[in-house]
Amino acid sequence: SVCKQYLDDIWLVDESDIKKAMRLLFTKYRMVVEGSGAISIASLISAREAISAARHVGVLISGSNIDLNTFVINSNMSM
């Protein structure tokens, strides 16, 4: 399959790492991203040690289809 051919690893992330990723993207880059769009960054947070040894890492960030109130609640940010 294509995944077996091009991927070395797959990581699972938990909700707390997704929320951290949403906060990071907003506070550092001013990007409002829904949880599913921040999963790639959440994987970098949760697998930091494994990734630091990699030569190349590709990350996609997508999904700004979230209203402000939901974003604030899901990212644990205050207004």
Side-chain angles (χ1 to χ4, degrees):
S1 80
V2 173
C3 288
K4 287 181 181 179
Q5 183 179 356
Y6 292 106
L7 298 178
D8 295 325
D9 285 308
I10 295 175
W11 295 293
L12 300 177
V13 297
D14 60 30
E15 291 289 326
S16 65
D17 288 331
I18 295 171
K19 290 177 181 182
K20 287 177 193 174
M22 291 172 71
R23 282 193 307 274
L24 172 73
L25 288 168
F26 181 76
T27 57
K28 188 163 177 94
Y29 302 104
R30 298 296 183 235
M31 295 175 66
V32 176
V33 179
E34 64 187 83
S36 62
I39 287 178
S40 58
I41 300 299
S43 69
L44 295 178
I45 292 169
S46 66
R48 186 176 308 141
E49 293 173 12
I51 293 170
S52 66
R55 290 185 57 206
H56 301 284
V57 176
V59 176
L60 297 175
I61 302 168
S62 64
S64 62
N65 186 26
I66 187 169
D67 66 67
L68 186 57
N69 290 329
T70 304
F71 176 79
V72 169
I73 292 168
N74 288 333
S75 63
N76 291 334
M77 296 184 81
S78 60
M79 294 202 26

